[in-house]
Amino acid sequence: DAKTTQPPSMDCAEGRAANLPCNHSTISGNEYVYWYRQIHSQGPQYIIHGLKNNETNEMASLIITEDRKSSTLILPHATLRDTAVYYCIVRVDSWGKLQFGAGTQVVVTP
Amino acid sequence: DTGVSQNPRHKITKRGQNVTFRCDPISEHNRLYWYRQTLGQGPEFLTYFQNEAQLEKSRLLSDRFSAERPKGSFSTLEIQRTEQGDSAMYLCASSLALGGGSHEQFFGPGTRLTVL
């Protein structure tokens, strides 16, 4: 049973911001939101995670709505190397298993 | 390179044969995870270890599958009597699960299994 809903695909122009939505309407109060991405033929790569507050690191920003039922991953200046499948995951145990859905295939075009 | 390594990268076998994959985690990472990924799908959790103890197994891990992590370092995943449905990418990840530590799992490049 999927805990998150993401669009199957989206395109983004190189140099522009990519905004990736994720719906997690059944999230519990102690569940974190994680984002990973998987570039073709590679293992998944951690991007960012958050609980309630918005978070930013060198790769991306994570915006979580006040009711925590949805979030948006923002890649501020997309490059061709950002073409990948992006996974939004909710989890309670910070060090336990990851439950991946189908993710969003992001294609960055020149 | 001190990342997670997996061997072999590719394995082709005939149905009914046994195969074994190896994962070397990042040094000193105490948690090690195995996932399986089929084409077009996200990775599916199989099992994970904390040090040498196997803490959780998915129902996907049938009795033909066995994983070990002797001495809490590298891990092996063995599939006995392979079936065509076992064809997939097998991914290994590791993390350092300590208070205040990173929540991040670091993934290896995977072993692609093809069962003919």
Side-chain angles (χ1 to χ4, degrees), chain A residues 6-102:
Chain A
Q6 299 177 253
S9 63
M10 62 183 296
D11 295 335
C12 178
E14 187 178 21
R16 304 294 293 271
N19 296 286
L20 283 61
C22 179
N23 182 290
H24 32 79
S25 58
T26 61
I27 192 170
S28 301
N30 58 348
E31 288 185 309
Y32 289 79
V33 179
Y34 283 75
W35 285 83
Y36 278 72
R37 74 179 184 183
Q38 188 172 24
I39 296 170
H40 184 62
S41 297
Q42 297 183 20
Q45 176 190 24
Y46 166 84
I47 301 173
I48 199 168
H49 76 277
L51 182 62
K52 295 180 180 179
N53 300 323
N54 298 336
E55 302 288 343
T56 295
N57 62 20
E58 65 278 5
M59 289 183 68
S61 295
L62 174 60
I63 308 297
I64 303 174
T65 58
E66 192 169 345
D67 63 8
R68 303 208 325 122
K69 293 185 176 182
S70 65
S71 60
T72 300
L73 179 75
I74 301 172
L75 307 177
H77 304 285
T79 71
L80 299 180
R81 290 175 295 179
D82 291 323
T83 292
V85 178
Y86 287 76
Y87 298 99
C88 171
I89 301 165
V90 296
R91 66 201 283 227
V92 172
D93 181 354
S94 301
W95 297 294
K97 63 190 175 190
L98 292 167
Q99 293 181 291
F100 294 84

